[in-house]
């Protein structure tokens, strides 16, 4: 099995962590990326397999797929143990929704901040900062009742939220001190044996490129 990820890819980080949590034997290749040219020129397998030209891409014999959540689904089906989706239908639906909420709602604020190119006075940046704060407060409430994002077990929902939160922090938007359940959850997740080395690699890349490293 081979996973194409990127040195600074939030969605790639999701897939890398999922593979590591499953304990799967998988080669991880980091596609070329630079802060100036981003993913251009595209890695040939990304160009061949993903019409969106994005990482992550997973190749496993005849299976060639892209999209972090599609990769979660494939891994879960092929390697059911340890389970990373909850088993009951309601809990699983909730966890899947949290994955989507993190990718498509929370993380979009990071993208808006990035597009504002450091100018936090721009209305879209102000709105995104407000939204990040509101979503952290909501997460804090959830985590005051449960150990993890979708209940009492670690799931893909935690992987998604952890990665989005790491990237959002790298732009300097840490959860405020009142969100102590979120802060404790992030620390707990960061210390997981499968996650710590991946986190270190992303942090090293930030250091090498003189970018701020989130204090998790
Ligand atoms: N929905 C996709 C999003 C993938 C994505 O946006 N990947 C980014 C890196 S984090 C990328 O490859 N961007 C290159 C581009 O869009 O040109 C997923 O979950 O994998």
């Amino acid at each position: 099995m081979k996973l194409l990820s990127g040195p600074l890819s939030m969605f790639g980080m999701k897939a890398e962590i999922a593979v590591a949590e499953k304990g799967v034997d998988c080669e991880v290749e980091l596609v070329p990326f630079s802060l100036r040219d981003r993913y251009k020129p595209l890695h040939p397998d990304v160009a061949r397999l993903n019409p969106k030209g994005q990482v992550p891409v997973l190749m496993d014999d005849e299976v060639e797929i892209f999209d972090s959540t599609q990769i979660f689904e494939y891994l879960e089906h092929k390697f059911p143990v340890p389970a990373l989706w909850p088993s009951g239908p309601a809990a699983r639906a909730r966890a899947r929704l949290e994955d989507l909420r993190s990718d498509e709602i929370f993380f979009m604020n990071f993208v808006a901040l990035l597009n504002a190119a450091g100018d936090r006075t721009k209305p879209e940046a102000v709105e995104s900062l407000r939204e990040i704060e509101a979503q952290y407060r909501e997460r804090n409430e959830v985590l005051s009742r449960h150990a993890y994002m979708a209940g009492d077990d670690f799931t893909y929902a935690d992987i998604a939220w952890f990665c989005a939160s790491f990237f959002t922090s790298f732009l300097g938007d840490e959860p405020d001190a009142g969100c102590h359940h979120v802060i404790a959850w992030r620390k707990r997740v960061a210390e997981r044996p499968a996650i710590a080395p991946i986190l270190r690699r992303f942090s090293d890349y930030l250091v090498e490129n003189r970018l701020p490293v989130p204090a998790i």
Side-chain angles (χ1 to χ4, degrees):
M1 187 181 284
K2 183 170 177 179
L3 176 69
L4 301 178
S5 181
L8 199 57
S9 163
M10 193 288 284
F11 293 98
M13 187 189 211
K14 280 179 68 186
E16 284 185 51
I17 290 178
V19 161
E21 284 285 345
K22 285 288 181 186
V24 172
D25 188 15
C26 178
E27 177 194 346
V28 176
E29 180 181 341
L30 301 182
V31 302
F33 172 84
S34 72
L35 294 170
R36 202 193 66 189
D37 299 327
R38 298 180 49 79
Y39 292 91
K40 301 284 184 308
L42 283 184
H43 183 287
D45 284 326
V46 174
R48 180 174 65 85
L49 294 172
N50 186 350
K52 292 176 133 185
Q54 298 173 331
V55 289
V57 166
L58 184 79
M59 295 175 276
D60 186 26
D61 294 328
E62 85 275 23
V63 174
E64 296 176 318
I65 56 174
F66 58 88
D67 189 280
S68 58
T69 303
Q70 296 285 321
I71 292 170
F72 284 178
E73 295 297 344
Y74 177 69
L75 291 174
E76 197 64 11
H77 202 169
K78 183 156 181 183
F79 309 101
V81 179
L84 289 173
W85 286 130
S87 57
R92 186 172 295 200
R94 228 176 7 252
R96 283 189 165 129
L97 199 59
E98 286 312 327
D99 172 56
L100 182 139
R101 199 195 305 277
S102 173
D103 283 10
E104 297 188 19
I105 302 172
F106 181 76
F107 190 63
M108 289 306 113
N109 296 301
F110 166 88
V111 175
L113 284 177
L114 206 57
N115 291 342
D119 182 355
R120 283 159 183 256
T121 61
K122 285 190 177 164
E124 58 273 32
V126 171
E127 178 55 28
S128 293
L129 289 167
R130 204 179 4 244
E131 191 53 31
I132 288 169
E133 207 181 303
Q135 294 201 28
Y136 270 138
R137 276 200 302 274
E138 199 180 292
R139 290 296 97 204
N140 198 58
E141 209 278 313
V142 169
L143 292 167
S144 72
R145 289 181 281 113
H146 298 284
Y148 293 103
M149 286 296 178
D152 291 320
D153 296 314
F154 176 84
T155 68
Y156 291 112
D158 297 283
I159 297 178
W161 272 103
F162 179 80
C163 296
S165 174
F166 175 83
F167 273 75
T168 304
S169 286
F170 127 67
L171 283 188
D173 298 292
E174 298 289 352
D176 70 43
C179 290
H180 55 275
H181 294 294
V182 173
I183 294 166
W185 163 85
R186 284 209 321 183
K187 201 165 168 36
R188 221 165 44 242
V189 173
E191 285 168 356
R192 291 176 71 85
I195 296 185
I198 295 170
L199 195 58
R200 213 169 304 124
R201 199 202 76 227
F202 276 84
S203 299
D204 288 349
Y205 184 88
L206 293 174
V207 172
E208 279 160 26
N209 287 279
R210 302 206 172 97
L211 293 164
V213 180
I216 293 186

